Amino acid sequence: MSVRTQSSEQPAESAHRAGFACFVGRPNAGKSTLTNALVGQKVAITADQPQTTRHTVRGIVHRPEAQLILVDTPGLHKPRTLLGERLNDVVRTTWAEVDVIGFCLPANEKIGPGDRFIAKELAGIRKSPKVAIVTKTDLVDSRALAEQLIAIDQLGKELGIEWAQIVPVSATANKQVDLLADLLIPLLPEGPALYPEGDLTDEPEQVMIAELIREAALEGVRDELPHSIAVVVEEMLPREDRPADKPLLDIHANVYIERPSQKGIIIGPKGKRLKDVGIKSRRQIEALLGTPVFLDLHVKVAKDWQRDPKQLRRLGF
């Protein structure tokens, strides 16, 4: 079993590498937080509620010797709705196309049926090397971590998966995050950079803005509406008649829920919750775009959208 911890060895000079890695794991295994820590900026939305990532968000790690493009997929799970099935299809398609797969398993939770379900799927993918990433190591002591490392090694042996590495990390405490990048890079093919220096993601801005609004809208109502919220940015236009040194971007977005009864939860007493969502997401959007924003939010009902193919398409799934 090869478990890696930080060392001061200097890598030898070698050709430039560039390629795609994806993090897989059951919902809430720390995939998005890890993507953000590696890229050094918020590109994937994070939340305590499983199933928040719906789009394939790519984070790009630039190094002089390599470019590592991270594809963050939704968590693979046993689907109960059409949306769930579509999310699983996205995951499998992604796995087949990447150069290396990182399987995220939280240090503070024993390996369960959800992890085995994913590991069995991974065992069937022969081409891509697989790295086991033990996330959230800041939440356990060294003994519990050692037990988890042994359990993961054992899981690989049981299912015939040969882990290229087993790496313990903590994205929130920034422990061994750089080491993880150091270990993923040699598994990428040699080749020139695939994205311009300075790019952090190739997500269209509108998708990222919609995700930031959805993240703010989920805060505080996760128990009541975990998956019932979708956000669509209808338009983004620079405000006319503004002086060049005082631009303003008008963003009009709709927050969709599934039932009229959910409207009050999102809007809150006297509209307070929706106002808070607007203030919080506007700050994040301004930080992302680097320009002042006027955000116009409306809450709409799209009845049972998670089960309706036509509505799923309209909402971008």
Side-chain angles (χ1 to χ4, degrees), residues 42 88 113 136 197 207 280 307:
K42 188 165 188 165
N88 279 358
K136 309 186 184 186
E197 181 68 48
V207 174
K280 186 162 192 234
R307 296 169 194 281

Side-chain angles (χ1 to χ4, degrees), residues 7 20 23 30 38 77 83 98 137 167 179 191 197 206 221 233 253 282 284 286:
S7 86
F20 294 84
F23 293 146
L38 278 160
H77 62 300
L83 172 65
V98 295
T137 57
V167 196
L179 173 74
E197 181 68 48
Q206 276 179 249
V221 298
V233 174
R282 194 189 75 234
Q284 301 251 20
E286 288 179 338

Side-chain angles (χ1 to χ4, degrees), residues 15-282:
H16 189 277
R17 292 177 182 273
F20 294 84
C22 83
F23 293 146
V24 306
R26 58 190 160 73
N28 212 19
K31 303 181 294 293
S32 296
T33 311
L34 191 54
T35 298
N36 291 335
L38 278 160
V39 176
Q41 185 171 326
K42 188 165 188 165
V43 292
I45 79 162
T46 57
D48 313 332
Q49 181 66 35
Q51 272 326 101
T52 39
T53 309
R54 287 191 185 142
H55 296 277
T56 301
V57 179
R58 293 175 173 83
I60 304 164
V61 181
H62 300 272
R63 291 273 186 94
E65 77 288 4
Q67 192 174 70
L68 171 66
I69 299 136
L70 302 166
V71 188
D72 186 21
T73 57
L76 193 76
H77 62 300
K78 290 203 165 122
R80 286 191 296 275
T81 61
L82 182 62
L83 172 65
E85 283 171 37
R86 292 221 176 145
L87 292 175
N88 279 358
D89 291 343
V90 170
V91 178
R92 292 193 186 96
T93 311
T94 307
W95 292 4
E97 292 169 353
V98 295
D99 301 299
V100 55
I101 297 171
F103 182 20
C104 295
L105 298 123
N108 62 330
E109 294 171 37
K110 286 204 168 10
I111 292 172
D115 301 309
R116 284 182 179 280
F117 174 71
I118 293 166
K120 278 184 188 138
E121 294 258 345
L122 282 180
I125 294 171
R126 293 272 170 249
K127 177 178 81 87
S128 315
K130 296 156 202 76
V131 172
I133 304 166
V134 188
T135 58
K136 309 186 184 186
T137 57
D138 53 305
L139 301 179
V140 297
D141 59 21
S142 52
R143 186 174 158 190
L145 178 57
E147 283 170 10
Q148 187 71 324
L149 292 168
I150 291 164
I152 290 167
D153 184 48
Q154 206 50 49
L155 179 69
K157 289 194 173 113
E158 255 173 64
L159 298 173
I161 302 171
E162 196 173 319
W163 304 120
Q165 302 280 356
I166 301 177
V167 196
V169 302
S170 166
T172 47
N174 203 17
K175 274 196 187 141
Q176 303 228 123
V177 173
D178 283 342
L179 173 74
L180 176 62
D182 294 343
L183 296 174
L184 292 173
I185 285 167
L187 302 171
L188 303 177
E190 291 184 3
L194 301 169
Y195 287 89
E197 181 68 48
D199 278 15
L200 295 177
T201 177
D202 75 348
E203 272 291 16
E205 282 174 348
Q206 276 179 249
V207 174
M208 291 185 74
I209 289 164
E211 291 286 82
L212 288 170
I213 296 167
R214 198 164 72 91
E215 181 178 26
L218 273 170
E219 211 153 279
V221 298
R222 298 194 196 294
D223 298 340
E224 297 146 286
L225 311 176
H227 315 313
S228 307
I229 298 175
V231 176
V232 176
V233 174
E234 296 295 340
E235 59 176 12
M236 288 167 55
L237 298 164
R239 177 82 58 93
E240 287 177 20
D241 308 327
R242 295 282 293 194
D245 59 338
K246 288 211 170 91
L248 184 68
L249 187 66
D250 284 321
I251 298 177
H252 301 277
N254 290 331
V255 179
Y256 288 96
I257 42 170
E258 290 194 297
R259 290 187 295 285
S261 60
Q262 297 171 335
K263 219 168 173 175
I265 300 172
I266 289 285
I267 294 171
K270 294 186 178 160
K272 189 180 178 317
R273 274 221 74 250
L274 189 63
K275 196 177 169 189
D276 290 347
V277 169
I279 291 167
K280 186 162 192 234
S281 53
R282 194 189 75 234

